[in-house]
Amino acid sequence: MSQPISGVLSSLERVLLDASTIQTRVADLAAEIERDYAGQELCVVTLMDGALFFVADLLRSMDLPIRLFTLTVSSYHGDTTSSGRVQMAQTFPFDLKARHVLLIDDILDTGLTLATVHERIREQCHPETLKTAVLLRKERPRVSEINADYVGFDIADEFVVGYGMDYKGHYRNLPCIGILDPTTLG
Ligand code: IMP
Ligand code: MG
C-alpha cells in the first residue's frame, strides 16, 4: 500500500538527524575523502539498497575520478534485527585489482555485512588499498574487528529508517533519519 510523504513522516516517533544535518555532514565527509584520494582514481563499491541515497549525495560532492560498482547484499531480510547471515553474489564481476577501493554501506551495526564483503574483496579482487565508509555507526558490540575508516555519525543502538534505510521495504525516501513509532513495528 502506498503512503503519502506526510503519512510516512507521521510514522516516526522522533527525528534523529534532519535533512540539513545529514547534507552538511555528508559534504564534510566527501571533502575529507577527496583530500585523502587526491590525484587518484577511486573505485567505489556500494552496498544496496540502504546506501543508495548516501552514496548518491557523497559521490556528487566529490571532485575525483570515480568508478561506481553496486553490490546487493542482505542480512536483515525485512526485520529489525540482523539474521546473522549475509547473502550476496559468490563472485564479484568487477575488476578491482591494484585499484584504490572504497567500500560504502549505510550502517555499521553488528559489522557482519561490512566484514564479510571486505574480506571477499580483499581475497578475490586484490585491490591496492581497501577502505570503508558508513553513514551511521551504532554504539554496540560487533561480531568482527571492522570499524569503518570514514563515519558520518555515531548513533545509539536503535533501529532507524529514512535516507535510504528501510523497515520491510518502507521509509527509504524520507529525507531525514528517524526512529519508528513502536506501534508501526510488527
Ligand atoms: P550488520 O551486518 O549487522 O552490520 O548490518 C548492516 C546492515 O543491516 C546494513 O547494511 C543495513 O542495511 C542493515 N541495518 C542495520 N541497522 C539498521 C537499522 O537501524 N535500520 C535499517 N537497516 C539497518
Ligand atoms: Mg544494507
Side-chain angles (χ1 to χ4, degrees):
M1 194 175 62
S2 63
Q3 286 175 302
I5 187 98
S6 57
V8 180
L9 268 172
S10 68
S11 308
L12 293 184
E13 183 184 79
R14 68 196 150 89
V15 172
L16 194 63
L17 300 163
D18 64 29
S20 72
T21 305
I22 297 170
Q23 295 303 328
T24 303
R25 180 68 189 125
V26 169
D28 287 350
L29 215 48
E32 189 185 337
I33 295 170
E34 193 183 299
R35 275 195 304 274
D36 290 354
Y37 290 93
Q40 290 163 331
E41 185 189 73
L42 186 58
C43 291
V44 170
V45 177
T46 184
L47 304 187
M48 300 305 247
D49 300 319
L52 182 61
F53 292 58
F54 173 42
V55 88
D57 286 340
L58 187 78
L59 300 199
R60 284 180 299 169
S61 296
M62 277 171 12
D63 185 13
L64 282 179
I66 288 175
R67 292 197 297 151
L68 175 63
F69 305 90
T70 62
L71 196 61
T72 299
V73 296
S74 78
S75 64
Y76 265 49
H77 311 300
D79 217 328
T80 59
T81 52
S82 173
S83 69
R85 281 176 296 117
V86 179
Q87 292 180 339
M88 65 172 154
Q90 288 306 299
T91 55
F92 295 108
F94 18 87
D95 181 13
L96 303 174
K97 195 168 184 330
R99 304 284 181 180
H100 295 292
V101 177
L102 182 63
L103 172 61
I104 300 186
D105 200 6
D106 51 0
I107 307 188
L108 182 63
D109 184 20
T110 68
L112 184 70
T113 307
L114 214 55
T116 305
V117 180
H118 187 277
E119 183 72 2
R120 289 270 191 95
I121 292 177
R122 211 176 46 76
E123 284 180 351
Q124 291 183 12
C125 305
H126 311 288
E128 171 77 25
T129 62
L130 176 57
K131 286 189 178 185
T132 52
V134 293
L135 178 66
L136 305 177
R137 178 170 61 189
K138 286 191 189 174
E139 281 165 14
R140 54 154 294 153
R142 296 196 220 292
V143 296
S144 85
E145 303 217 326
I146 194 128
N147 195 28
D149 298 290
Y150 302 98
V151 177
F153 302 92
D154 280 301
I155 62 165
D157 186 12
E158 292 181 290
F159 191 79
V160 296
V161 295
Y163 195 63
M165 287 159 284
D166 74 311
Y167 171 62
K168 296 189 173 177
H170 296 277
Y171 312 109
R172 290 195 198 275
N173 61 316
L174 285 176
C176 61
I177 293 172
I179 311 293
L180 276 181
D181 190 315
T183 58
T184 314
L185 299 170

